[in-house]
Amino acid sequence: MPIWNEKYECMSRDEMTALQTERLVAQVKYIYENVPYYRELMEKKGVLPGDIKHIEDLKYLPFLTKQDLRDTYPYGLFAADTKDIIELHASSGTTGKQVVTGYTRKDIDIWAEAMARTLTSAGADKSSFVQVAYGYGLFTGGFGAHHGAQKIGATAIPISSGNTARQIAVLKDFGTTILACTPSYALYIAETLEEMGIDKSELSLKAGVFGAEPWSEEMRDEIERRLGITATDIYGLTEITGPGVSFECYDRSGLHVNEDHFVPEIIDPATGEVLPHGSVGELVFSCITKEGMPLLRYRTRDITSLNYEKCACGRTLVRMGKVQGRTDDMLIIRGVNVFPSQIEGVLLDLGKTAPYYMIIVDRQGVLDTFEVHVEMLDEFFSDEVKQLEKLENEIRGKLQSVLGISPKVKLVAPKSIPRSEGKAVRVIDRRKK
């Protein structure tokens, strides 16, 4: 099993705890002295740097949320002087002010190291051609994979997202061995390949590192089957560093967190209390080595759990489970919690429709309405009405069994649901308007 940095990826738990303690103590002092906003939060909570003596003391520090980043936009949480910031990135800002993060030279090196581990775990080495089809620019995805590929000594192909026909030409002509993009875009590339009459055997592709959106095991199976590759999950967020916070190995029993740099906790999203090992809750991260914008106890809103057992691959890094959803993306429909990934899993497991869907939630009077539009396969498009009604009822029954709530299911024409070259938009919630 390929491992990039055995010293840290296979460190004993006692050694990791000692390293995290040393780095946390220094980081808290650094942030307290250089970030007035966080210093004020600490003082309001009655916590001083001298109170933090061990990694277990992390729980005494105040949380940060995305709202804190918006309130301090753009540079209010930077700990380093802007003259030492060599790169800026930002989130899309689709739900408010964009979140800005800054990197010093050391931060870029940390990011490259984290992504080198990520790509190595997927089989990348110096001979690899890594096609980076995440977006470049302010979005962290493209540059993260790019930095990691170059750290390994692999050949980075910085094609960015979009222009799918060109993506496929590059896949063929450049001998791409590893594809880095969102899982929904990987599926779209597979669909376009088939439409162009290109067999997957014509490609040199061996593996894919896919992230930036939740995806199900059923979607993984679909991508692997249609592209003939091994698909691994990666996780990251702009606020922490970008992609490379955690990654899957071939054992695929969780995502290894690069916890020598990013310390995870699981909390009760309602109370903020730290939950016991193995509990499902909200994921919180602390950056213990970053210089530019090192966040402590940042609430990700992602729902998962942590596993501290040694992995079969040999890594001892804690593993986070596949993200089940987000506390802010979770739909509450008639009092029932619904995650889009649950619907995706049902549809792909059923295998009788295309893997594209749209969830539409509305409200009539005081009652929520819940509708799922599902794209048909070409071969079923002309089926008689009774057969389509039978399939709609079958999907509805499966969804009700999994979700505990019955949606209206509407089969729609092939290619009628918009494809995504970045993060897929799968929910229209009209109740918020």
Side-chain angles (χ1 to χ4, degrees):
M1 185 65 61
I3 294 176
W4 171 254
N5 191 333
E6 189 170 347
K7 176 183 176 181
Y8 293 102
E9 295 181 64
C10 302
M11 186 175 274
S12 74
R13 182 49 47 188
D14 286 345
E15 289 173 322
M16 182 61 74
T17 298
L19 180 67
Q20 289 178 333
T21 293
E22 178 187 348
R23 290 179 169 179
L24 176 66
V25 169
Q27 189 74 302
V28 170
K29 183 175 184 293
Y30 171 67
I31 293 173
Y32 185 85
E33 291 174 352
N34 291 283
V35 185
Y37 184 88
Y38 199 75
R39 178 167 63 243
E40 185 178 336
L41 290 180
M42 285 180 64
E43 290 173 349
K44 280 183 179 177
K45 200 170 182 190
V47 183
L48 295 173
D51 299 326
I52 307 301
K53 299 180 175 66
H54 192 274
I55 193 65
E56 291 182 358
D57 296 334
L58 191 59
K59 61 189 176 186
Y60 300 122
L61 293 168
F63 291 113
L64 284 172
T65 67
K66 186 166 285 189
Q67 190 57 50
D68 291 306
L69 275 70
R70 290 174 177 150
D71 290 344
T72 56
Y73 174 89
Y75 306 138
L77 286 175
F78 281 24
D81 192 293
T82 52
K83 66 180 174 55
D84 295 319
I85 299 293
I86 65 167
E87 195 164 304
L88 291 173
H89 285 279
S91 65
S92 61
T94 53
T95 56
K97 278 186 180 178
Q98 59 186 345
V99 170
V100 178
T101 187
Y103 301 77
T104 64
R105 169 56 60 193
K106 176 187 173 185
D107 294 338
I108 294 294
D109 290 342
I110 290 169
W111 194 10
E113 165 72 19
M115 278 304 296
R117 299 178 190 180
T118 299
L119 291 167
T120 298
S121 74
D125 56 25
K126 288 184 178 180
S127 64
S128 298
F129 288 79
V130 182
Q131 185 159 326
V132 184
Y134 288 111
Y136 278 72
L138 288 177
F139 176 61
T140 56
F143 278 95
H146 190 100
H147 290 318
Q150 290 190 331
K151 178 82 171 179
I152 291 170
T155 303
I157 306 173
I159 192 169
S160 195
S161 57
N163 199 339
T164 306
R166 184 169 180 241
Q167 297 275 359
I168 289 169
V170 169
L171 281 170
K172 282 188 66 181
D173 299 343
F174 290 18
T176 301
T177 54
I178 295 187
L179 176 64
C181 63
T182 62
S184 55
Y185 192 42
L187 200 55
Y188 183 40
I189 288 173
E191 179 183 70
T192 308
L193 270 171
E194 293 160 5
E195 290 174 352
M196 294 172 69
I198 299 172
D199 191 89
K200 60 192 176 187
S201 64
E202 297 178 48
L203 306 180
S204 302
L205 207 54
K206 296 177 180 176
V209 285
F210 305 128
E213 62 188 20
W215 52 305
S216 63
E217 287 299 321
E218 292 81 5
M219 189 172 187
R220 189 210 299 272
D221 293 342
E222 184 86 357
I223 291 169
E224 291 187 330
R225 179 181 63 81
R226 293 172 76 170
L227 286 179
I229 62 173
T230 300
T232 56
D233 196 4
I234 67 173
Y235 175 89
L237 58 167
T238 300
E239 300 91 320
I240 301 303
T241 195
V245 175
S246 67
F247 60 91
E248 273 187 327
C249 63
Y250 280 155
D251 192 58
R252 304 206 291 205
S253 56
L255 290 86
H256 295 278
V257 177
N258 286 308
E259 57 176 323
D260 50 323
H261 298 293
F262 317 111
V263 179
E265 300 173 273
I266 297 294
I267 65 166
D268 182 322
T271 66
E273 292 298 311
V274 178
L275 296 176
H277 288 177
S279 301
V280 174
E282 182 183 343
L283 182 62
V284 172
F285 273 114
S286 295
C287 304
I288 55 173
T289 55
K290 281 186 69 179
E291 292 179 333
M293 195 181 81
L295 303 185
L296 293 175
R297 303 203 83 197
Y298 180 72
R299 295 184 62 163
T300 69
R301 302 295 180 187
D302 289 326
I303 303 298
T304 186
S305 60
L306 297 175
N307 180 354
Y308 284 86
E309 294 178 5
K310 183 178 179 179
C311 182
C313 74
R315 291 177 179 87
T316 53
L317 295 171
V318 64
R319 285 167 286 161
M320 54 179 275
K322 209 168 178 59
V323 172
Q324 299 176 16
R326 291 176 55 82
T327 59
D328 52 359
D329 281 350
M330 179 180 73
L331 295 164
I332 302 177
I333 305 170
R334 301 175 208 157
V336 177
N337 296 343
V338 174
F339 291 105
S341 57
Q342 294 173 299
I343 294 171
E344 177 182 289
V346 167
L347 296 177
L348 287 167
D349 188 50
L350 196 60
K352 296 182 179 181
T353 64
Y356 300 101
Y357 63 96
M358 185 68 70
I359 303 163
I360 300 170
V361 187
D362 208 339
R363 182 167 288 142
Q364 293 182 355
V366 295
L367 184 66
D368 291 339
T369 61
F370 177 23
E371 191 167 311
V372 181
H373 291 187
V374 183
E375 197 172 282
M376 284 185 284
L377 295 169
D378 286 321
E379 55 263 40
F380 295 126
F381 185 47
S382 59
D383 274 9
E384 59 185 63
V385 174
K386 284 186 178 179
Q387 290 300 317
L388 296 180
E389 287 179 348
K390 182 180 178 182
L391 180 55
E392 285 179 342
N393 288 332
E394 184 179 4
I395 294 170
R396 184 182 303 110
K398 295 279 187 181
L399 289 174
Q400 182 171 14
S401 175
V402 169
L403 304 176
I405 183 173
S406 179
K408 178 180 179 182
V409 175
K410 181 179 180 182
L411 291 171
V412 298
K415 311 294 189 297
S416 62
I417 291 177
R419 303 306 193 247
S420 172
E421 295 176 342
K423 294 187 180 183
V425 177
R426 298 189 176 99
V427 179
I428 299 173
D429 192 344
R430 295 176 178 147
R431 297 173 300 178
K432 299 174 183 177
K433 296 181 179 179

